[in-house]
Amino acid sequence: LAKTTQPISMDSYEGQEVNITCSHNNIATNDYITWYQQFPSQGPRFIIQGYKTKVTNEVASLFIPADRKSSTLSLPRVSLSDTAVYYCLVGTNAGNNRKLIWGLGTSLAVNP
Amino acid sequence: DVKVTQSSRYLVKRTGEKVFLECVQDMDHENMFWYRQDPGLGLRLIYFSYDVKMKEKGDIPEGYSVSREKKERFSLILESASTNQTSMYLCASSYRQGITYEQYFGPGTRLTVT
C-alpha cells in the first residue's frame, strides 16, 4: 500500500522557486499523483495531477521520475499569497482497490 | 464555479447526541466524500459515495454513517457523538467516476463534542 511522506514545513522568500517533494515508495501501477493547496479556514484546492514525467499548468509544475517513487511540486516565483499547506495525494481507481493516500501536508511560509 | 456548501461552519454538540452534517454540491457531480482533518493526522477519508444510495467505507468509518438520497446531497451522521469525534469535517465532490479525479472541497464544519 502506497504511503506518502512529505516535509512538515518549508520556508522561502518572495520571487523564489519552491520545490516540494513527496515520497511514495510503494506506488502502484494504477496510482495517480495529485497535489492540493489549503489556506486556513478553507477546504483544500486542487493544484495539479500527473501520472509520469512532467505536467505543467498555469500555477505549477509536477515532476515525476521514471520510477514514480517520488514527485516534486514546483511553484515558480512564489508570493506571500502562496503561504499555505500543500498536500500530496496518491490515489487509485483500480476496481475494488480504490484508495486515496494523503500526505500529512507541507506548511510553506513565504517571507517578504 | 463549482460550489460545495456545508450546513454549518461551527457546531457544538453534547456527548451522546445524534449529529447530522449536510453537504450540497451544485455541479451534478457523481462522487462525494466526507473527510475529517485533525492536526498532525492530515485528511482521513470517512466515507465516499459514487452514486445515489451507493457508498463505500473509507479509512475511518467507525462511529459514522452516511446517506445519499439525492445526487447533490451527502449527509454524514454521528449516531452517538463522542468527544474523540471533535474535529474539522470536510466534504468534497468530483465530477467523474473514479476517486482520483479533481475534488472540490467545501469550507468545512468545525464540530466540538463536549
Side-chain angles (χ1 to χ4, degrees), chain A:
Chain A
L1 193 64
K3 177 184 174 183
T4 56
T5 305
Q6 51 185 126
I8 294 173
S9 64
M10 294 182 69
D11 276 286
S12 184
Y13 291 93
E14 282 192 290
Q16 288 190 334
E17 178 184 77
V18 171
N19 296 308
I20 307 174
T21 296
C22 180
S23 170
H24 27 79
N25 289 322
N26 296 322
I27 192 167
T29 304
N30 296 317
D31 290 347
Y32 282 78
I33 300 152
T34 313
W35 285 81
Y36 285 81
Q37 176 191 56
Q38 186 178 27
F39 298 112
S41 301
Q42 294 185 23
R45 184 176 66 176
F46 173 91
I47 302 174
I48 198 166
Q49 183 180 74
Y51 181 79
K52 61 180 178 180
T53 63
K54 177 184 174 182
V55 179
T56 297
N57 62 21
E58 62 275 9
V59 298
S61 295
L62 179 60
F63 298 91
I64 305 169
D67 66 2
R68 303 200 327 122
K69 293 185 177 183
S70 66
S71 58
T72 298
L73 174 72
S74 181
L75 305 172
R77 298 181 300 281
V78 294
S79 65
L80 296 176
S81 62
D82 293 315
T83 293
V85 179
Y86 293 83
Y87 289 95
C88 169
L89 168 65
V90 172
T92 181
N93 291 315
N96 293 326
N97 192 31
R98 290 187 280 204
K99 278 291 183 186
L100 294 171
I101 311 296
W102 291 83
L104 296 183
T106 298
S107 180
L108 172 66
V110 179
N111 301 293

Side-chain angles (χ1 to χ4, degrees), chain B residues 101-113:
Chain B
Y101 299 106
E102 177 181 353
Q103 294 183 40
Y104 296 83
F105 282 83
T109 296
R110 185 165 294 283
L111 173 67
T112 302
V113 182

Side-chain angles (χ1 to χ4, degrees), chain B residues 75-99:
Chain B
S75 302
L76 180 69
I77 304 152
L78 287 67
E79 294 290 342
S80 178
S82 64
T83 55
N84 63 14
Q85 292 178 310
T86 291
S87 185
M88 171 67 81
Y89 289 88
L90 291 161
C91 175
S93 69
S94 67
Y95 72 104
R96 289 171 64 176
Q97 291 289 344
I99 61 173

